[in-house]
Amino acid sequence: MKKIVIAIALISLFASTAYPCFDTYLFLRKGSMVYPQRSLVFDLNNEYSFNSVGAPQNDMFFLNGNIYYGIARNFSVQFSLGSGEKPRNDFKIDSYGIRGVYNLFSSEAQDYTLDVIAEHGGRFDGAENEMTFSLPNIFRSEQLTYVVHPTATYAFENKNMTVGGHTGLFYDFNESGVIGVGAEYASVQSSSSAGQRITQSEFSASLFLGAHLGSSIYLQNEIAKGVSNSRDFGFALTTKIIL
């Protein structure tokens, strides 16, 4: 089974790019969204969005690098730097982000966790300057993981508040991989960077694949499809390294 999961993930890697909606590393650890204390983790994620299959000149691309560090047992931080979403032939390091995750509650059986996430992200020129607060709820039953994640984002440039959320159901293969499905409304599914990307944060559905490769590398791939008033579809890929 492990070979099958790795093969699917590798096929997805070479077939497309993807993005970090949910977190394979944390899912397989069966904890909350908080990174382990004193752990240092790096990931690189990139996204490719098809606004319209018939107009490839309108495709969009996004690239982002992230550093995570577990400050305490129930608190971790994340710092991001990258190239914000723009036409596929354009690249410029112009976006940043900072996120804090605090575990509010974890059951003794570790079958339920509740966190609070605060994130600020934007571009150096002041565009897409946003503050996001969210409450990820994670439920577990043996090899199944269910996520309910309400979000609220305030965009400073247009003084607009957007309330949304996402949900997903996942199955893990004995700590070697994850497969799941997700759905969202006005939310980027706990991605490592806020903003309207892939399906422009409207109604969408997605297929998620993740794999644990070796001792310190995690790979995850997602295919997202707009359902209502959105882009055609997009792909995202994240490679995570435990330092």
Side-chain angles (χ1 to χ4, degrees):
M1 181 62 72
K2 181 177 180 179
K3 291 181 178 179
I4 294 175
V5 174
I6 293 175
I8 293 173
L10 289 175
I11 290 171
S12 300
L13 168 62
F14 290 107
S16 65
T17 56
Y19 88 156
C21 299
F22 303 99
D23 197 314
T24 297
Y25 170 64
L26 296 179
F27 281 176
L28 293 179
R29 286 184 58 87
K30 299 187 183 299
S32 73
M33 295 286 292
V34 175
Y35 275 72
Q37 186 175 6
R38 291 188 294 275
S39 65
L40 182 63
V41 178
F42 170 78
D43 75 30
L44 183 68
N45 71 278
N46 53 89
E47 309 170 3
Y48 196 93
S49 301
F50 298 84
N51 288 313
S52 174
V53 175
Q57 69 276 9
N58 295 329
D59 293 352
M60 303 294 282
F61 179 76
F62 171 88
L63 179 68
N64 197 46
N66 305 278
I67 289 286
Y68 309 80
Y69 184 71
I71 293 179
R73 179 185 59 80
N74 58 353
F75 180 65
S76 64
V77 295
Q78 171 192 334
F79 301 95
S80 305
L81 190 66
S83 176
E85 187 184 66
K86 53 179 64 71
R88 61 181 182 178
N89 60 350
D90 194 5
F91 178 85
K92 179 182 181 182
I93 300 298
D94 58 358
S95 65
Y96 66 92
I98 181 171
R99 169 191 282 187
V101 185
Y102 181 79
N103 178 235
L104 294 172
F105 175 78
S106 293
S107 66
E108 292 186 4
Q110 286 297 305
D111 56 0
Y112 172 69
T113 62
L114 172 64
D115 300 325
V116 59
I117 298 177
E119 177 179 1
H120 178 265
R123 299 197 187 186
F124 296 124
D125 61 4
E128 298 183 7
N129 186 13
E130 298 178 337
M131 188 72 193
T132 299
F133 294 93
S134 64
L135 293 168
N137 296 261
I138 301 178
F139 304 85
R140 290 188 174 84
S141 177
E142 297 181 348
Q143 291 175 275
L144 290 176
T145 299
Y146 178 56
V147 177
V148 178
H149 193 159
T151 65
T153 300
Y154 182 76
F156 292 95
E157 68 274 13
N158 58 15
K159 297 180 174 58
N160 179 56
M161 173 70 77
T162 301
V163 177
H166 54 266
T167 186
L169 179 64
F170 307 88
Y171 181 86
D172 68 78
F173 298 90
N174 299 319
E175 300 184 0
S176 63
V178 176
I179 186 170
V181 293
E184 70 170 61
Y185 172 72
S187 171
V188 290
Q189 301 187 14
S190 68
S191 170
S192 293
S193 180
Q196 296 183 345
R197 306 187 315 277
I198 297 246
T199 57
Q200 294 189 324
S201 295
E202 296 170 335
F203 284 110
S204 66
S206 60
L207 172 66
F208 179 90
L209 300 165
H212 182 192
L213 308 177
S215 61
S216 60
I217 298 177
Y218 291 78
L219 179 72
Q220 61 189 53
N221 185 54
E222 182 159 4
I223 303 172
K225 177 69 176 72
V227 177
S228 175
N229 189 28
S230 187
R231 295 172 174 174
D232 280 354
F233 62 96
F235 303 93
L237 174 70
T238 298
T239 302
K240 191 179 300 287
I241 301 174
I242 314 305
L243 302 175

